[in-house]
Amino acid sequence: MTTLTEGTILWEPSEELETTSIVRAYMDWLKATRGLDFASYAELWQWSVDEIEAFWASVWDFFHIQATPYSAVLESHRMPGAHWFPGARLNYAEHVFRNRTPDHPAVIFQSERHSLTKIAWDELYRQTAAVAQALREMGVKSGDRVVAYMPNIPQALVAFLACASLGAVWSSCSPDFGSGSVVDRFKQIEPKVLFAVDGYQYGGKSFDRRDTIAEIQRALPTLEHTVIIPYLSDDPAVASQLNGTLWQSLLDANTDAKLAFEAVPFDHPLWVLYSSGTTGLPKPIVQGQGGILLEHIKALALQHNLKPGDRFFWFTTTGWMMWNLLIGGLLVGSTVLLYDGSPAYPDIHVLWRFAADSKMTVFGTSASYILSCIKAGAEPRQFDLSALQGLGSTGSPLPVEGFLWVFEHVKPLWLASVSGGTDVCTAFISASPLLPVRAGELQCRALGCRVEAFDEEGRPLLNEVGELVVTEPMPSMPLYFWNDPDMRRYTDAYYAMYPDVWRHGDWIKITLHGGAVIYGRSDSTLNRMGVRMGTSELYSAVEGVPEVVDSLVIDLEGLGGRSFMPLFVVLRPGVTLDDALRARIKARIRETLSPRHVPDEIYAVSEIPRTLNGKKLEVPIKKILMGMPVERAANVDSMSNPDALKPFIDLAQELK
């Protein structure tokens, strides 16, 4: 591939895209109705964070939020505890179905087991109304919890919308989660109803989850009803085997149901998301109907330019916040595209075929998927991607070579690398159709999100790496953690380092032109001889060595009175980690990064420990290597490959 440096401009928006974008229409509206004239995105962003109440009030008006009147936009700027739009009552699901139209489908679905299927808005309404009526008959009311153990299939979306229409509280886990991990999450919120599949398929293999469902049922004493979706089997008896009701019977029994939308307060809980759960009990993060509604409309329309008729996809499971953001595409009238299965089965091109067949306009994925495509030699250009206008990447930093690969092997297009978190269910650093795309950079700070890079003393930095902080409240920040009445866990999670300022736990550099670079988690950052560096940079260098498939680096500062930084590599089949390969890996790090960041030792392992969502377990492995017992350092139920811990446990014994 061509050599490229960070910050090089790869793409600039066309005049047509700029002038027809939603954010440009919004700026014109601000000028006409508020007398505010902004010449650039930078000026608009500055106003949105300086006049945060005026900004969110304008978003409310511009997008015609349907609600009772509010008495204030923001009662207090204090964090935590900001109270948004008191007095307003609304419903998330009502804002979805106001986009009901015969002009384009609501949902397009494909999986390893099902060919491409389109679901009309009227059909989505019919199913949602039927399930909502069934939930009412089960005794579900506003505030009750409804949980799902389901893959990314239309039934999960329908169940969520039915739940939201009632004002009930939703929570979901992907069926690849083990029973212990699911119970750790769901038991905390005491659900009344469980939706579950009998099993799922991934990579061509079927995984029966009936025994797991039975374990979950036994562990949830508050559970009153289970609804079963036969996904592996067409046998309706599977529902009775699990003391449940068949999904289809809910639809058949309520064919004439009409949707009624419960108007709830702005800060009424919409759903509960969870921290990654790699250590300790997962944090149950509660987010509100109004905060998510407003934030997702802003993020998808103003930042990503999603419109009615667009076809919006993100490769995700129901256990990752990107599923929640994906289904938010319905709020702006877009068609949402759901895919269930492995992104590499039957081959690495399966999602690119899906993009072509579905006439996808926005392809959302993770940085790790793009890097996997590079490793596998994928050639998306062989497919008809003429409808594709944008590509989104998140989950981890996308290196420069990832940007370049997209432009050389997919097509030149708007590449939006974004960064946020489960904690706010959105991006802090986002995209804009008004700005260029620069290699290795995220385009801009999101509107209404005052992001800064802070040093250890809480002073803002520009063009230097610091802690990612947010110094003004956002509507989608957690209302609270479930079962945290004194807000201690909540405060400790985000406000322990800088009182009254949200610290997210990522390293960030705000560039001179208003973009940003993310350097990975600040609690796993490499600090060698006073020079700090994010792990993503080192992975980019190491995994550029052809023999290396995957890698993990841990900086054990002060271990035994000395700094020790081991590097762990997964090698291609048949490759041996000999002295020559070690030397080449070290040389690449020395040449690409700096001599300071050459590892002290390199170890070959069969696989890198990862969460169920595919994230490397940097912090838990660091704790294990520093002598913490495994049961305290890592939650194995939240891992996709718990056996991968063994070599690190063995090394910890040697390091004592």
Side-chain angles (χ1 to χ4, degrees):
M1 291 193 297
T2 308
T3 302
L4 201 65
T5 58
E6 184 178 283
T8 301
I9 293 178
L10 294 172
W11 174 91
E12 294 192 69
S14 66
E15 183 179 352
E16 181 184 8
L17 175 59
E18 285 198 51
T19 56
T20 62
S21 66
I22 299 172
V23 69
R24 179 62 66 188
Y26 168 68
M27 292 166 75
D28 292 343
W29 177 87
L30 285 173
K31 184 176 181 180
T33 65
R34 305 292 203 268
L36 299 168
D37 191 4
F38 301 112
S40 65
Y41 180 89
E43 289 185 9
L44 177 64
W45 177 83
Q46 193 65 56
W47 169 76
S48 77
V49 296
D50 287 344
E51 303 292 340
I52 193 165
E53 295 170 61
F55 167 71
W56 286 109
S58 75
V59 171
W60 183 286
D61 293 342
F62 181 74
F63 290 104
H64 306 291
I65 299 302
Q66 297 173 222
T68 60
Y70 54 84
S71 59
V73 174
L74 184 59
E75 283 189 335
S76 168
H77 288 239
R78 183 175 58 86
M79 294 190 292
H83 187 200
W84 291 91
F85 294 97
R89 299 181 73 91
L90 44 67
N91 188 276
Y92 175 104
E94 183 175 14
H95 286 79
V96 165
F97 285 105
R98 70 178 180 172
N99 296 306
R100 186 177 172 188
T101 176
D103 296 340
H104 57 82
V107 179
I108 296 176
F109 169 64
Q110 186 175 317
S111 74
E112 292 185 13
R113 301 180 65 82
H114 298 274
S115 58
L116 190 144
T117 303
K118 296 180 181 179
I119 300 174
W121 274 94
D122 282 353
E123 178 62 16
L124 181 65
Y125 176 92
R126 185 188 70 80
Q127 292 191 26
T128 302
V131 174
Q133 180 60 33
L135 288 172
R136 280 194 201 92
E137 292 170 358
M138 293 175 190
V140 174
K141 57 187 183 302
S142 180
D144 286 342
R145 275 75 66 205
V146 175
V147 296
Y149 188 58
M150 300 169 73
N152 186 16
I153 58 178
Q155 292 91 333
L157 171 56
V158 168
F160 160 69
L161 290 173
C163 182
S165 74
L166 301 174
V169 184
W170 172 263
S171 193
S172 61
C173 283
S174 174
D176 54 358
F177 279 43
S179 60
S181 186
V182 175
V183 171
D184 279 349
R185 288 160 168 74
F186 290 168
K187 193 171 184 178
Q188 295 186 72
I189 65 171
E190 301 179 309
K192 182 177 282 189
V193 178
L194 167 68
F195 288 88
V197 288
D198 59 340
Y200 68 99
Q201 182 172 313
Y202 190 87
K205 298 178 181 178
S206 295
F207 298 87
D208 191 320
R209 306 308 272 171
R210 287 175 295 178
D211 289 345
T212 304
I213 293 167
E215 292 174 14
I216 294 168
Q217 289 173 319
R218 287 192 293 269
L220 299 177
T222 60
L223 200 62
E224 297 178 7
H225 300 277
T226 300
V227 179
I228 298 295
I229 298 94
Y231 194 50
L232 289 185
S233 166
D234 293 329
D235 183 3
V238 67
S240 57
Q241 292 167 5
L242 291 165
N243 297 313
T245 303
L246 198 64
W247 171 270
Q248 188 61 43
S249 70
L250 300 188
L251 303 184
D252 294 342
N254 298 282
T255 54
D256 297 324
K258 303 296 182 186
L259 265 176
F261 302 106
E262 179 77 18
V264 297
F266 187 89
D267 58 0
H268 182 83
L270 175 64
W271 54 45
V272 179
L273 304 182
Y274 303 90
S275 63
S276 63
T278 52
T279 60
L281 204 60
K283 296 186 289 288
I285 299 167
V286 183
Q287 289 158 346
Q289 283 233 12
I292 290 296
L293 168 67
L294 209 58
E295 173 59 41
H296 283 189
I297 287 177
K298 179 219 71 175
L300 296 173
L302 295 184
Q303 309 286 168
H304 289 273
N305 202 40
L306 277 181
K307 313 176 290 297
D310 279 337
R311 298 189 169 189
F312 176 46
F313 171 68
W314 214 286
F315 181 74
T316 181
T317 71
T318 58
W320 187 23
M321 60 140 285
M322 291 310 299
W323 182 82
N324 304 73
L325 184 68
L326 167 63
I327 61 179
L330 297 172
L331 293 170
V332 294
S334 296
T335 299
V336 296
L337 277 56
L338 313 179
Y339 187 86
D340 176 45
S342 167
Y345 177 83
D347 57 55
I348 195 66
H349 290 117
V350 64
L351 296 183
W352 301 109
R353 288 191 198 92
F354 180 48
D357 294 344
S358 65
K359 295 182 172 53
M360 186 184 297
T361 56
V362 177
F363 185 125
T365 185
S366 63
S368 62
Y369 173 73
I370 293 173
L371 298 178
S372 294
C373 285
I374 296 174
K375 287 280 187 181
E379 282 296 347
R381 289 175 299 183
Q382 66 185 282
F383 304 103
D384 179 7
L385 301 177
S386 55
L388 192 63
Q389 301 168 13
L391 191 148
S393 173
T394 192
S396 57
L398 183 66
V400 168
E401 56 266 33
F403 279 76
L404 181 59
W405 181 85
V406 168
F407 279 81
E408 291 188 341
H409 295 267
V410 181
K411 62 189 287 190
L413 82 178
W414 179 15
L415 172 52
S417 179
V418 300
S419 182
T422 299
D423 320 77
V424 290
C425 201
T426 191
F428 301 114
I429 313 299
S430 194
S432 175
L434 305 179
L435 297 172
V437 171
R438 298 172 184 267
E441 289 192 21
L442 293 74
Q443 283 183 288
C444 56
R445 288 174 280 188
L447 296 172
C449 185
R450 189 185 281 277
V451 172
E452 306 281 359
F454 268 17
D455 67 12
E456 293 178 357
E457 303 301 319
R459 294 171 296 214
L461 302 169
L462 184 61
N463 216 36
E464 294 182 45
V465 178
E467 290 275 358
L468 190 162
V469 299
V470 184
T471 59
E472 288 282 0
M474 298 167 57
S476 68
M477 282 176 171
L479 302 173
Y480 48 84
F481 292 167
W482 205 271
N483 293 330
D484 182 30
D486 61 0
M487 300 284 280
R488 180 170 297 176
R489 291 183 74 194
Y490 185 107
T491 303
D492 288 348
Y494 310 116
Y495 300 99
M497 178 175 262
Y498 307 110
D500 305 320
V501 171
W502 173 291
R503 170 189 174 260
H504 193 62
D506 282 344
W507 287 122
I508 186 173
K509 177 176 72 178
I510 307 296
T511 65
L512 296 174
H513 45 261
V517 181
I518 299 290
Y519 293 91
R521 296 294 295 174
S522 57
D523 46 12
S524 60
T525 301
L526 312 177
N527 186 0
R528 303 283 279 175
M529 291 169 272
V531 178
R532 297 189 299 190
M533 183 172 293
T535 55
S536 62
E537 293 180 272
L538 191 134
Y539 297 145
S540 178
V542 172
E543 292 167 25
V545 176
E547 293 88 346
V548 178
V549 175
D550 204 355
S551 61
L552 179 76
V553 66
I554 304 294
D555 186 4
L556 298 170
E557 294 179 61
L559 181 67
R562 65 187 178 95
S563 177
F564 179 67
M565 191 175 82
L567 171 67
F568 304 90
V569 293
V570 178
L571 303 176
R572 291 190 181 278
V575 175
T576 301
L577 182 62
D578 55 21
D579 289 343
L581 180 54
R582 283 189 176 91
R584 283 200 293 117
I585 293 171
K586 290 183 176 182
R588 180 169 177 82
I589 295 170
R590 183 179 294 107
E591 294 162 7
T592 308
L593 302 179
S594 81
R596 294 184 177 91
H597 294 89
V598 173
D600 297 295
E601 290 287 348
I602 304 177
Y603 301 92
V605 294
S606 59
E607 54 184 334
I608 299 302
R610 291 181 179 271
T611 68
L612 288 167
N613 288 337
K615 294 184 179 181
K616 300 180 184 185
L617 265 71
E618 294 175 321
V619 176
I621 295 302
K622 181 173 183 176
K623 291 177 178 178
I624 288 171
L625 293 180
M626 295 186 76
M628 182 179 289
V630 176
E631 60 271 18
R632 288 179 51 207
N635 183 344
V636 296
D637 283 336
S638 292
M639 292 182 60
S640 61
N641 53 352
D643 290 341
L645 291 175
K646 188 177 186 307
F648 300 91
I649 296 169
D650 294 341
L651 179 59
Q653 293 297 316
E654 297 176 20
L655 294 175
K656 279 187 176 179

